[in-house]
Amino acid sequence: MEKASLPSETAASFGGFVLAHAAMIASTLSGGELICPFAVVKKGDRRQVFDFEADTQAEAVERGKASLVHLKDQVEAWAFAREGLWSGPDLPSKIDVLVVSSWAPGMDEPLVLLQAFSPAQTGNFRLLGQLEITQDGQGVVSESMRCLISAAQAGIADSNVPWSSWLVHDA
């Protein structure tokens, strides 16, 4: 991954890289399985993965989010991936999403990357529509969005997963 200049661009690039790996995992699941929430941290040229297994998905997600508090002073980037459901005013029902919270030093709060998908157990894993990025629960301002989407796409490209073969733009 190339070095981004702003902390939010670093977080978007690293988040894209981790999002691609979450998609790879999701593409292989079957029968109602969910991604085991996981974090990836970067320090120098080294990356480390932490899985957050728990009795419930909610408990695993809370453990993963809490890992940022413990690790943020020790790492150059942190990204936490999980599966979720997303609802919105334009959606008739909740849809499956891959969710990655991504942070780099200099940021107060992580970015959140959201990618809608059709699970593998439906017969054909697909990524649906455009990648969304939010921060502090708000959509990122449009001028910044282009840079962050571009950084996230660079991270996805660095992952060597078949992202474009899964993508359906008109969903």
Side-chain angles (χ1 to χ4, degrees):
M1 284 183 281
E2 74 181 49
K3 185 131 175 101
S5 57
L6 297 173
S8 59
E9 291 174 3
T10 298
S13 178
F14 193 63
F17 179 81
V18 173
L19 179 64
H21 286 281
M24 178 62 81
I25 294 166
S27 75
T28 66
L29 299 178
S30 62
E33 293 177 308
L34 298 174
I35 292 173
C36 175
F38 68 96
V40 180
V41 297
K42 181 178 186 285
K43 187 173 184 178
D45 292 336
R46 190 170 164 220
R47 293 186 197 116
Q48 188 172 0
V49 177
F50 298 91
D51 291 325
F52 296 97
E53 294 185 36
D55 291 336
T56 67
Q57 187 80 348
E59 184 181 339
V61 168
E62 285 307 310
R63 285 183 186 171
K65 287 180 180 179
S67 74
L68 173 59
V69 174
H70 300 295
L71 296 170
K72 73 190 257 183
D73 294 331
Q74 305 167 35
V75 300
E76 295 169 18
W78 168 94
F80 173 60
R82 67 251 185 223
E83 199 171 320
L85 293 172
W86 187 13
S87 62
D90 300 334
L91 300 172
S93 61
K94 292 182 179 183
I95 58 172
D96 292 297
V97 289
L98 298 171
V99 183
V100 173
S101 299
S102 188
W103 174 90
M107 295 176 67
D108 292 329
E109 295 294 324
L111 293 175
V112 178
L113 289 73
L114 299 156
Q115 178 64 59
F117 74 102
S118 175
Q121 56 262 33
T122 63
N124 197 11
F125 177 80
R126 289 282 180 230
L127 300 171
L128 308 172
Q130 300 293 322
L131 172 65
E132 302 274 336
I133 299 178
T134 65
Q135 189 168 30
D136 297 325
Q138 306 289 320
V140 179
V141 178
S142 61
E143 308 89 61
S144 301
M145 181 60 77
R146 283 191 300 274
C147 290
L148 295 179
I149 292 288
S150 179
Q153 289 171 336
I156 290 167
D158 285 344
S159 69
N160 296 318
V161 302
W163 187 270
S164 61
S165 69
W166 294 325
L167 195 56
V168 177
H169 289 285
D170 58 356

